[in-house]
Amino acid sequence: MNKVLVRFFAMLLMAAAWPAQAWDGIPAPANLHPGVTPDSQSLEWEWPGGPIDGFRLYQNQDGKAVRVADKANAALRMIIVEPSKGQRSGSTCYSVRAYKGLAESQSSNEVCLEAPTQAAQGQPLPPISLRLTSSASECAAAAGAVPGAICDAVLKEGAKVLVFNWAGEADIDGYRLYDSAGGKPVLQETKYDPDQRVFQLPAAIAGKVTDYCFQVRAFRGERESWPTNTVCADRPPVVAAPAPSGNVLVLAPSGGALLTSVETYKNFNPGCPYPAHTIKTRTKAAFKDGVKATYALRDLNSACGERVVMWNEGSAEFALDALPARFFKATLKFVSEGGDAQQGCVRDVFAYNLAIQDKSPGGGRYEKLGDPLAWFTYHKTASIASAASLAPQGGNAFDVTALLRKSIQRRHKNQGFNFAVKQDKQGCTAGYKAFTLEIET
């Protein structure tokens, strides 16, 4: 056999051994199979590696692959698929794909799972008795470390509040609030505090599809409980930005982020025989309809000293390539949705274009956990607003003309605005939504 044929057959053998690839060259996950525990409702897979952003879970719905979950973790090899869809009988079939940016691999093999008849081993118990409340005392009793005065202020402003009970052991990470759209669950908010059994219902946003029916699930790591009972509420008026007049271009946010931090400080009292220890966990989610600024401190009053601090802050970004070549004025607009913003929950609203790694020791050694991307902080370029200049309720408008022109001159791709939370000993919460950039040409 001549050398040409030998090389040809060798190439065929190599192609047969290599994992299936999509046209873009990303290898497909292989050997998708159920987790080792039959009732775990988890899927595991193998993957040859390479530069990717993460994996996507697809569900077979009437012969069509429908994307049901994105996991921005390239090291992930397992995903919990139940009870996220709330199914209690029959089987559901899944496949997994790797992705990087807009590029995506071919599907793995398909695996069908039977819905469990009872809670799987290691699965948290579900919350119970989900209900709407208009009682400030009932809200405060479920609010954990959040001051009861916040419940009173939120309810007086007409906000709708959900409370629930939970009788499980205190070994969970927290709770998740799900809305529904067309009968399918949609994640709305995550609370990393087992003691905080209250959710303020989100406002209805123009252009967002929702049934305004809610469920809550407890979670620990990737494992979720079964959902609570469903509670539907009357839809609030849709929040929309005021219609501009004249020759104005209105831009919606192109991205942004919601940052959550849970910090535990132990053994800090003088004379404690144990070494001081600090653990900080951060998670980062994509910008959705608005941003939250919250801060809460829970002092556990132990002999050696132990505190838990929780805070959230968010940012909205706008793509600068969407701006016209010439414009006269640019105005950042958004709506305050209440809370106790007037008490200074936001330290300031600042502009940024770039993120830089946070390498500060934080005043001492501590353990960093969670999403690595959540440990990047923004490079502040200008202060847009202080807490005193933010409306406690209703519209806000700030002239950002000079700021945008400078960002364009420096050839930045995005203009971001971050709501930095004020971290002090007072609990607070504030929310902002309906973000737009109005460009007058």
Side-chain angles (χ1 to χ4, degrees):
M1 186 181 294
N2 61 39
K3 293 182 179 180
V4 174
L5 288 176
V6 170
R7 290 177 181 174
F8 175 74
F9 284 114
M11 291 173 65
L12 287 178
L13 289 172
M14 290 176 64
W18 192 252
Q21 296 186 356
W23 290 109
D24 50 49
I26 301 177
N31 190 26
L32 184 67
H33 59 280
V36 292
T37 304
D39 290 335
S40 69
Q41 291 297 297
S42 65
L43 290 170
E44 299 179 8
W45 63 89
E46 299 171 3
W47 194 69
I52 60 169
D53 296 331
F55 297 91
R56 291 181 176 137
L57 178 68
Y58 282 80
Q59 184 185 91
N60 187 328
Q61 296 182 8
D62 299 325
K64 296 181 180 180
V66 178
R67 195 167 89 194
V68 294
D70 283 40
K71 297 293 181 180
N73 182 357
L76 193 69
R77 299 294 182 269
M78 184 272 290
I79 190 170
I80 302 294
V81 297
E82 288 286 346
S84 62
K85 306 308 291 182
Q87 182 186 5
R88 294 177 185 267
S89 62
S91 65
T92 307
C93 299
Y94 300 91
S95 59
V96 173
R97 302 176 190 176
Y99 75 93
K100 182 175 178 59
L102 298 178
E104 194 175 71
S105 76
Q106 293 178 345
S107 292
S108 68
N109 57 299
E110 190 172 84
V111 171
C112 299
L113 298 177
E114 294 289 334
T117 56
Q118 59 185 2
Q121 182 178 0
Q123 181 180 328
L125 291 174
I128 57 175
S129 303
L130 182 66
R131 59 201 183 272
L132 285 166
T133 184
S134 57
S135 166
S137 59
E138 186 178 29
C139 172
V146 177
I150 294 180
C151 280
D152 187 55
V154 167
L155 290 168
K156 284 181 178 178
E157 291 166 358
K160 296 182 182 295
V161 173
L162 284 170
V163 295
F164 53 92
N165 299 333
W166 192 69
E169 297 293 330
D171 59 349
I172 61 171
D173 296 330
Y175 307 98
R176 293 188 175 119
L177 175 68
Y178 283 82
D179 192 358
S180 61
K184 297 179 180 179
V186 178
L187 180 62
Q188 283 286 356
E189 188 177 353
T190 298
K191 287 188 182 294
Y192 287 86
D193 181 5
D195 295 329
Q196 197 171 142
R197 297 173 289 100
V198 58
F199 283 98
Q200 180 180 339
L201 295 192
I205 306 297
K208 179 184 175 184
V209 179
T210 171
D211 298 336
Y212 219 62
C213 292
F214 300 90
Q215 295 175 329
V216 173
R217 298 179 174 122
F219 74 94
R220 178 174 58 248
E222 287 284 338
R223 297 181 183 273
E224 275 193 351
S225 73
W226 290 112
T228 61
N229 54 297
T230 301
V231 172
C232 297
D234 294 332
R235 299 190 190 196
V238 173
V239 176
S245 58
N247 192 16
V248 176
L249 173 66
V250 180
L251 300 178
S254 58
L258 303 172
L259 186 66
T260 298
S261 179
V262 180
E263 305 169 2
T264 302
Y265 303 87
K266 296 182 178 181
N267 306 330
F268 54 80
N269 282 345
C272 179
Y274 307 106
H277 187 48
T278 302
I279 300 174
K280 297 186 178 183
T281 302
R282 288 190 184 183
T283 56
K284 194 172 188 178
F287 176 89
K288 292 168 61 176
D289 302 319
V291 302
K292 286 281 187 182
T294 64
Y295 181 81
L297 183 149
R298 183 162 58 120
D299 197 331
L300 303 181
N301 295 315
S302 65
C304 277
E306 184 173 358
R307 290 176 180 170
V308 177
V309 173
M310 294 156 285
W311 56 266
N312 294 269
E313 63 182 45
S315 63
E317 295 180 359
F318 296 84
L320 293 177
D321 60 5
L323 271 65
R326 295 183 178 181
F327 58 91
F328 296 107
K329 186 177 181 181
T331 306
L332 173 68
K333 291 190 174 183
F334 53 91
V335 175
S336 300
E337 61 176 339
D340 63 339
Q342 66 273 20
Q343 296 180 16
C345 194
V346 174
R347 184 178 70 246
D348 72 326
V349 181
F350 65 82
Y352 68 88
N353 302 107
L354 302 174
I356 56 176
Q357 189 170 11
D358 180 8
K359 296 181 179 179
S360 64
R365 293 188 176 184
Y366 58 81
E367 185 177 357
K368 289 182 176 181
L369 302 175
D371 183 355
L373 291 178
W375 290 96
F376 282 69
T377 188
Y378 299 116
H379 178 58
K380 179 178 178 178
T381 56
S383 183
I384 304 302
S386 64
S389 59
L390 293 173
Q393 187 86 30
N396 299 270
F398 298 95
D399 189 338
V400 292
T401 309
L403 175 71
L404 291 187
R405 285 177 176 161
K406 183 179 293 185
S407 295
I408 293 171
Q409 183 180 13
R410 294 178 177 177
R411 298 183 179 180
H412 290 301
K413 294 182 179 180
N414 297 289
Q415 182 63 65
F417 301 97
N418 186 68
F419 288 70
V421 69
K422 184 177 181 181
Q423 299 187 30
D424 56 23
K425 294 183 179 181
Q426 300 299 317
C428 66
T429 180
Y432 306 93
K433 57 199 173 190
F435 285 83
T436 60
L437 262 184
E438 292 189 4
I439 311 298
E440 298 180 27
T441 58

